[in-house]
Every structure is written in structure tokens, then in C-alpha cells.
Amino acid sequence: MMNEAIRAKRHADLSSVELSALQKLFDDEYMSDYGPWNPDAPYGYSPADFHVLGFRRTVLAAHVGFQRRVITVGGYDVSVAGTGGVLVDERSRGTGLGSRVMRQAQQVMRDEARVGFGFLGCRQEVVPFYESVGWTHVHATEQCVSRLDQTSVIVSVGGPNLICSAMREASEWPQGDIDLRGTPW
């Protein structure tokens, strides 16, 4: 943890240096598959309102982004921090930096974004990581707008979708189908 810094910033407050560092972090990981990263439409996903940045020395090595949104769960309006752009530079994986950045993001969800829950969708193979930092798997049918064309509606069953407590306890998450009311994160 020596020479490590974790900072939370609203998207509008990112400096040009921080935006360039984010571009490099994402392009190093995804350029060959998805092309250049765009902060306003990252690979077609919803952009982040908040960023939690993990630095090792002066190099951006980890990121968690989230967007405040009200979604529908089982017919109820639920405020969430839709979480995406979770990435740790290859050289920093296995150091615990990802866990520390994720825990800081959860704190920002409570203290600054003031949402009920964190929400994310992910690949099955990374579920254990999220569970290790306090996220809970929820089973529901999810509806969202396609990230590829921003008009088609996509319905999926089984996710995986996970939530974490922010201003409300995970046990308070309503049962029922989920409508993201937009593109995923």
C-alpha cells in the first residue's frame, strides 16, 4: 500500500491529466477488442458520474465508475449506483488494490452519491471477487436498452447481477424483475 493513493472524483471534476490516464488504462486493456475508450459513451455502456481512481506511485492502476440512476425492481423505484468500468492494470492485479478501490467506491455511494444500493452486472468468473468485497448476487430477470444501438430492449435471465449496501441494507432489496431504464454500466 506504500506509494498508493485512492481518490474519488465526480466526472465533471476530472482533470485532462486524469482523463488521459483513464484513456490509457482502458485502451491498454480493451483497445484491440473494442477500440478507443470514450468517457461519454464507454464502449456503448452508460458513462460514470463518479470515478474512484487507484494510483500506484503516479500511475493510474485501478478504476471503478458508477452512475446514479433510479431503476425499477419489482415495480418499485430504487436508487442505485450503476457500477461499471471496474478495471485493475495487469501489473497491479493480485495486490489488493482492486478490493481497496471497490470498498472506497461503496463508501462514495453512501456518502456522496447517497443512493440505496450499488448495482452491477458481470461475468460469472468475477462474481467471487465482488462477493469478497461485500456484493450479493440477486436472481431476477433484467431488462435494459442495448449498449450496441441504444434503442433495442434486451431481456436477460440469471445475470449475474449483484448489489451492495449503500444507504440501505442489501436485505431491503425488493424482489422482482429489474428494469435498468437505460443502458447497462
Side-chain angles (χ1 to χ4, degrees):
M1 288 197 303
M2 186 172 267
N3 294 317
E4 181 180 287
I6 299 174
R7 294 194 292 266
K9 300 280 286 262
R10 291 181 185 268
H11 184 76
D13 296 333
L14 289 172
S15 70
S16 60
V17 170
E18 290 164 327
L19 281 169
S20 292
L22 278 167
Q23 176 88 44
K24 179 173 177 13
L25 180 69
F26 279 92
D27 285 351
D28 285 352
E29 184 74 18
Y30 298 119
M31 176 68 94
S32 63
D33 292 330
Y34 302 105
W37 179 77
N38 174 343
D40 299 317
Y43 312 114
Y45 290 100
S46 294
D49 295 331
F50 291 85
H51 300 269
V52 179
L53 310 170
F55 293 87
R56 300 200 71 191
R57 293 182 175 75
T58 61
V59 176
L60 179 62
H63 173 264
V64 174
F66 65 86
Q67 180 191 75
R68 292 172 56 183
R69 186 186 299 169
V70 174
I71 65 172
T72 303
V73 182
Y76 296 97
D77 287 346
V78 177
S79 67
V80 298
T83 304
V86 179
L87 180 60
V88 177
D89 178 272
E90 188 174 0
R91 295 175 303 269
S92 299
R93 293 178 189 157
T95 66
L97 179 61
S99 295
R100 290 187 291 279
V101 170
M102 183 58 78
R103 286 189 179 96
Q104 182 63 36
Q106 290 166 273
Q107 190 69 45
V108 174
M109 290 173 192
R110 282 187 287 280
D111 297 346
E112 292 184 49
R114 306 197 50 82
V115 296
F117 306 93
F119 181 90
L120 63 82
C122 64
R123 299 179 321 275
Q124 187 63 45
E125 59 267 21
V126 295
V127 168
F129 165 74
Y130 291 114
E131 289 176 334
S132 77
V133 291
W135 291 69
T136 303
H137 198 179
V138 293
H139 300 277
T141 298
E142 177 192 271
Q143 175 179 308
C144 65
V145 174
S146 170
R147 67 180 186 82
L148 300 176
D149 67 18
Q150 282 76 43
T151 58
S152 302
V153 174
I154 306 295
V155 177
S156 61
V157 179
N161 292 309
L162 293 97
I163 62 162
C164 71
S165 299
M167 294 191 66
R168 296 178 61 189
E169 294 300 318
S171 61
E172 298 178 70
W173 181 262
Q175 296 297 310
D177 294 345
I178 299 167
D179 183 349
L180 297 185
R181 296 185 185 173
T183 55
W185 300 276

